[in-house]
Amino acid sequence: MYKTTVKIDGMMCSMCETHIKETIRKTFPSAKKVTASCKKKEATFITDDVIDLSILGDSIDRTGYHYLDSETIPYDKKGVFDFWQHR
């Protein structure tokens, strides 16, 4: 699994955050745990495979917001059982 963090300019409110989350979900239907924060000027989501960042950037720019940068890193899912194993 992979976690992608996207830097976005132009989000001002919770409706902007919702618009970005909907755009990510439409562009990448397999995206999970999609979040967006206008305060942090970023969105994050999890996918099973590495995504095409140029497609991501184009889809965000088409919404009227401005794609600034993104980073995709491997993501290890941590569950309740992982927590108890390390105690």
Side-chain angles (χ1 to χ4, degrees):
M1 296 180 82
Y2 297 90
K3 180 178 181 179
T4 300
T5 302
V6 189
K7 295 293 183 182
I8 304 165
D9 192 31
M11 290 191 294
M12 305 298 259
C13 64
S14 62
M15 287 303 294
C16 296
E17 293 170 349
T18 299
H19 198 200
I20 288 294
K21 291 188 289 187
E22 288 174 355
T23 299
I24 291 169
R25 287 184 183 115
K26 285 180 184 176
T27 306
F28 303 103
S30 65
K32 301 172 189 113
K33 296 187 180 185
V34 181
T35 65
S37 170
C38 60
K39 290 180 183 176
K40 293 181 180 179
K41 297 186 177 186
E42 71 179 24
T44 62
F45 59 98
I46 308 296
T47 53
D48 290 329
D49 300 309
V50 175
I51 61 158
D52 186 333
L53 298 178
S54 64
I55 292 172
L56 174 63
D58 290 343
S59 67
I60 290 172
D61 285 341
R62 281 195 305 270
T63 64
Y65 302 100
H66 304 286
Y67 170 85
L68 300 174
D69 193 18
S70 59
E71 176 184 39
T72 300
I73 60 172
Y75 175 79
D76 290 325
K77 184 177 179 180
K78 294 187 179 8
V80 175
F81 296 111
D82 293 331
F83 172 77
W84 290 107
Q85 288 177 355
H86 299 291
R87 285 197 71 144

